[in-house]
């Protein structure tokens, strides 16, 4: 087996029953979503991993830690979303931005999804759901649902992220905001003005 050069990125990985904080190692220049969408591996290797039970405190409380390990293999089908990577500007002539809400059991994720210019959300989801289930959501906000808040030791903590990689295969649904299609130029201008200084 040949060694492959990889980058190391800090990642916060949210699964059904656990949160894993550690380092992931995509190939250089690969976005996290593209790395995860490769079909050659069913796991995501994580090094220097801290494993926490599920919850909404960000950062997690020390009492929520389950394990600390040098290596942890995360089954990709268990991943809900990952906070890792960077904001990519993209070609402003080939994308529209659509504001979406993605529903999971314990939370909702709202943010901007890039679509091929002129595409409908339903067409994009149909084309990408099978082979490219991991999608980047920009200017994302994660908010726990009332179901999550009713459980012991949960609190309302919304978190914001410049970019999240979500697993649409594990979403319970996706909705769009009315009139939410924007060009990349407008969305990036909005993101620049709305970032904390």
């Amino acid at each position: 087996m040949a060694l492959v050069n990889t980058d190391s990125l800090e990642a916060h990985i949210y699964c059904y029953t656990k949160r894993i904080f550690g380092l992931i190692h995509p190939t250089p220049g690969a976005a996290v979503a593209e790395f995860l969408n490769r079909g050659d591996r069913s796991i995501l290797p994580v090094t220097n991993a801290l494993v926490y039970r599920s919850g909404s405190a960000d950062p997690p409380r020390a009492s929520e830690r389950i394990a600390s390990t040098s290596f942890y293999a995360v089954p990709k089908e268990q991943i809900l979303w990952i906070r890792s990577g960077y904001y990519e500007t993209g070609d402003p002539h080939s994308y529209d931005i659509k504001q979406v809400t993605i529903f999971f059991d314990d939370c909702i994720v709202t943010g901007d999804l890039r679509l091929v210019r002129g595409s409908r959300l339903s067409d994009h989801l149909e084309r990408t759901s099978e082979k490219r289930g991991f999608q980047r959501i920009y200017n994302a906000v994660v908010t726990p649902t009332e179901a999550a808040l009713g459980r012991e030791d949960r609190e309302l903590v919304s978190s914001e992220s410049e970019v999240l990689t979500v697993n649409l295969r594990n979403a319970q649904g996706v909705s769009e905001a009315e009139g939410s299609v924007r060009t990349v130029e407008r969305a990036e201008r909005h993101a620049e003005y709305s970032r904390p200084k």
Side-chain angles (χ1 to χ4, degrees), residues 37-56:
N37 283 327
R38 289 180 21 201
D40 60 342
R41 288 189 171 199
S42 61
I43 63 159
L44 173 63
V46 181
T47 58
N48 300 324
L50 298 174
V51 183
Y52 298 92
R53 62 184 166 87
S54 65
S56 57

Side-chain angles (χ1 to χ4, degrees), residues 26 62 193:
Y193 290 119

Side-chain angles (χ1 to χ4, degrees), residues 8 10 12 19 39-41 60 100 110 116 145 158 165 191:
S8 293
E10 183 177 330
H12 297 176
R19 293 170 286 171
D40 60 342
R41 288 189 171 199
V100 295
T110 56
V116 173
T145 62
S158 291
T165 300

Side-chain angles (χ1 to χ4, degrees), residues 21-33:
F21 288 23
L23 297 174
I24 60 173
H25 307 277
T27 51
V32 174

Side-chain angles (χ1 to χ4, degrees), residues 54-76:
S54 65
S56 57
D58 191 14
R61 293 183 285 271
S63 63
E64 296 175 317
R65 187 185 300 176
I66 299 169
S68 174
T69 181
S70 60
F71 174 80
Y72 192 85
V74 182
K76 289 198 294 190

Side-chain angles (χ1 to χ4, degrees), residues 30-150:
V32 174
E34 279 70 31
F35 175 66
L36 290 167
N37 283 327
R38 289 180 21 201
D40 60 342
R41 288 189 171 199
S42 61
I43 63 159
L44 173 63
V46 181
T47 58
N48 300 324
L50 298 174
V51 183
Y52 298 92
R53 62 184 166 87
S54 65
S56 57
D58 191 14
R61 293 183 285 271
S63 63
E64 296 175 317
R65 187 185 300 176
I66 299 169
S68 174
T69 181
S70 60
F71 174 80
Y72 192 85
V74 182
K76 289 198 294 190
E77 75 269 4
Q78 292 292 312
I79 296 171
L80 301 175
W81 74 87
I82 297 177
R83 184 178 293 132
S84 185
Y86 48 89
Y87 196 96
E88 298 171 354
T89 56
D91 176 6
H93 301 292
S94 60
Y95 291 97
D96 286 332
I97 302 284
K98 187 169 287 283
Q99 189 174 35
V100 295
T101 301
I102 303 165
F103 297 87
F104 294 100
D105 184 41
D106 285 355
C107 69
I108 58 171
V109 175
T110 56
D112 297 330
L113 176 65
R114 290 185 181 175
L115 306 174
V116 173
R117 186 154 285 175
S119 293
R120 296 181 309 175
L121 178 60
S122 59
D123 294 336
H124 175 81
L125 295 173
E126 187 64 35
R127 278 194 308 270
T128 61
S129 65
E130 194 58 39
K131 295 193 179 188
R132 293 182 15 219
F134 288 96
Q135 295 283 307
R136 287 174 291 223
I137 304 296
Y138 296 94
N139 307 310
V141 177
V142 179
T143 306
T145 62
E146 287 186 25
L149 298 176

